[in-house]
Amino acid sequence: MTAVLVDGVVLGLQFAILGVGLTLVYGLGGVVNLAHGQMAVLAAIFTARLMDNGLPTVVAAGVGVLGIGLLGIVLDRTLMQPVYRQRGEARILLGLLLMLGVGFVIDGVLEWRYPIEALNLRIAGEPFTVGGLKIRRGSIVASGAAITVGLMLVAFFRYTTFGRATRSVIQDEEGARLCGINPSVVRTVIFGLSGALAGVVAITQSMTSPVVSTAGVSLTIFALIVAVVGGLGSVSGAFLAGILLGVVNTLSAFYIGTFVSSIILVVAAAVTILFRPQGILGTG
Amino acid sequence: MAVQENLYLGSFPRRPDAARLELVYETFPRLKERAGQHAGTLSGGEQQMLAVGRALMSSPSLLVLDEPTTGLSPILAQEAYAALAALRRDGLTILVAEQQVPLALDLADRGYVLDHGRITLTGSSEELANDPGVRQAYLGV
């Protein structure tokens, strides 16, 4: 039971980082990035290819994460520009459809070029024993990385000028503009950050189980559910929801079955939308 | 966002300056009391103070205010103008559009009377305060 719980928290931390990336981009520009999971998988396959070509793991992972961050920046500067010119529902719909298309393209390319490629960074060695509980090395490293990234995000949003500027745009774009903040620059940088976060999740995920080239859609769905339950636009909400849903997912997969656990996650999202549409920590 | 974070945003894109923040808190002690509070929960007058305080964070050479007393009680309006007078004494140039003419004339060196977007009268505050037209239209005498 405790071992399952630990697995759940490990998975939840990955979910959380994935959800934060999605929620940030939505909060800033109203774009629901339906290619978020595909971007993560792209980073994973890119990293795997670099390793096949002889790059050391750490370098390959770094390049993979930065590369997908760069893709995020490029997407924001090109494909997303007509989206940001729209207002209200039109913007949300256009952003959603365009990113859905990007997701299809990434999925298609991966299936065409690298159908059996996968990133597997399983860390060898004896499991650690913490308080009589055996925890795999991969889980420890993955959680450590996710927690570090999470703390860095909190510090970024709380203590840096750019982080505060980002929050101000999420809260009130007009007000931010009046303070001399350029929302467009903030959006671009954060889209890049969101991509890099997806890359980080791909790397940490592959430490406990291989990330295959077809995993994109399910990762996108996880990210979406986490962002909805946490409240679209709320970073702390996404974090809490990620861990919560990770535990729920792992517990139900262990005691009932994988298929049922997916249903339970979707039900969690549906119940949230019905009873608390702003999410567990969202406002307004 | 908290009051203090709002003030920090005023110095964007530079880093907030501690001395500057202290000056704003000296000018508006109420903001210091509420530094950690969510800005949305402040009263109307306090939000006005915060808006002016945020503008001051960028160390401006000119402060432009559009009817800073809107929605303030007479006492709060007077307090706001006392704060502006203190800033003026410290050498800040202030341009203020105001319907509450007595308050504005007390603060200002020069005044301009606008009528439908045109300047119809101009002069030192003293001249304006003694102008029969102004006295009748705005000063209620």
Side-chain angles (χ1 to χ4, degrees):
Chain A
M1 167 73 194
T2 333
V4 180
L5 214 59
V6 170
D7 272 351
V9 172
V10 173
L11 181 71
L13 286 166
Q14 329 284 321
F15 277 7
I17 304 287
L18 209 58
V20 166
L22 192 90
T23 224
L24 278 175
V25 168
Y26 178 79
L28 279 173
V31 170
V32 182
N33 183 0
L34 288 183
H36 199 59
Q38 282 87 336
M39 284 169 74
V41 172
L42 192 62
I45 303 303
F46 186 37
T47 303
R49 293 297 306 159
L50 290 174
M51 285 167 64
D52 289 349
N53 286 309
L55 244 63
T57 310
V58 176
V59 178
V63 173
V65 168
L66 290 180
I68 215 67
L70 200 67
L71 176 71
I73 289 176
V74 170
L75 281 174
D76 183 83
R77 281 280 102 189
T78 56
L79 213 52
M80 290 301 112
Q81 288 307 308
V83 177
Y84 297 141
R85 277 195 287 276
Q86 305 287 328
R87 289 274 162 265
E89 252 176 66
R91 182 194 271 199
I92 291 177
L93 200 62
L94 187 62
L96 192 137
L97 289 174
L98 278 175
M99 288 318 292
L100 184 66
V102 170
F104 282 149
V105 170
I106 295 176
D107 264 341
V109 169
L110 288 179
E111 200 172 331
W112 171 42
R113 303 289 308 193
Y114 312 108
I116 51 160
E117 189 80 62
L119 181 65
N120 190 351
L121 298 179
R122 205 171 269 273
I123 294 169
E126 283 295 298
F128 285 102
T129 311
V130 183
L133 194 69
K134 282 188 178 169
I135 306 174
R136 285 175 296 173
R137 279 168 186 264
S139 298
I140 299 265
V141 178
S143 313
I147 291 170
T148 309
V149 168
L151 290 177
M152 278 164 67
L153 280 172
V154 170
F156 168 72
F157 283 114
R158 210 166 269 175
Y159 302 115
T160 71
T161 300
F162 196 88
R164 280 192 289 260
T166 305
R167 281 166 57 209
S168 78
V169 177
I170 293 178
Q171 198 177 42
D172 180 357
E173 194 173 324
E174 208 52 48
R177 238 183 247 281
L178 289 175
C179 292
I181 295 161
N182 183 347
S184 164
V185 171
V186 172
R187 277 198 291 261
T188 304
V189 173
I190 296 301
F191 211 119
L193 175 72
S194 164
L197 289 176
V200 167
V201 173
I203 304 297
T204 56
Q205 186 83 326
S206 73
M207 291 174 181
T208 51
S209 57
V211 175
V212 295
S213 60
T214 50
V217 175
S218 59
L219 284 180
T220 298
I221 292 173
F222 280 144
L224 207 55
I225 294 175
V226 167
V228 165
V229 173
L232 279 165
S234 162
V235 173
S236 41
F239 236 91
L240 192 63
I243 295 170
L244 209 67
L245 292 175
V247 171
V248 168
N249 186 56
T250 312
L251 282 181
S252 54
F254 185 77
Y255 288 106
I256 314 170
T258 320
F259 183 63
V260 180
S261 75
S262 309
I263 296 176
I264 289 177
L265 287 190
V266 176
V267 168
V271 168
T272 309
I273 290 171
L274 275 177
F275 294 104
R276 209 175 149 70
Q278 72 272 40
I280 43 180
L281 289 185
T283 48
Chain B
M1 280 198 170
V3 166
Q4 183 148 336
E5 290 181 305
N6 266 275
L7 290 174
Y8 283 160
L9 279 174
S11 31
F12 187 86
R14 278 172 296 161
R15 288 173 166 281
D17 176 57
R20 200 70 209 171
L21 184 68
E22 213 34 61
L23 178 93
V24 171
Y25 281 154
E26 257 171 50
T27 313
F28 303 109
R30 189 75 69 85
L31 293 183
K32 188 167 191 171
E33 288 166 27
R34 321 228 152 185
Q37 200 173 319
H38 264 275
T41 63
L42 296 181
S43 73
E46 288 162 347
Q47 289 189 18
Q48 294 272 39
M49 288 180 204
L50 182 53
V52 175
R54 194 170 61 188
L56 289 174
M57 284 300 288
S58 63
S59 313
S61 35
L62 171 68
L63 182 65
V64 183
L65 299 168
D66 184 17
E67 304 201 16
T69 55
T70 313
L72 297 191
S73 72
I75 291 174
L76 279 177
Q78 261 172 14
E79 278 178 21
Y81 267 85
L84 291 181
L87 292 169
R88 175 184 165 278
R89 270 198 301 280
D90 293 338
L92 181 66
T93 307
I94 302 174
L95 176 68
V96 54
E98 183 59 83
Q99 306 253 16
Q100 306 215 31
V101 175
L103 280 175
L105 286 181
D106 264 355
L107 173 75
D109 300 307
R110 282 193 74 79
Y112 303 84
V113 178
L114 290 175
D115 183 27
H116 290 94
R118 285 174 195 283
I119 295 173
T120 55
L121 194 63
T122 172
S124 73
S125 297
E126 223 167 285
E127 285 163 18
L128 288 182
N130 292 323
D131 183 271
V134 172
R135 289 172 69 90
Q136 204 192 356
Y138 296 107
L139 301 181
V141 276

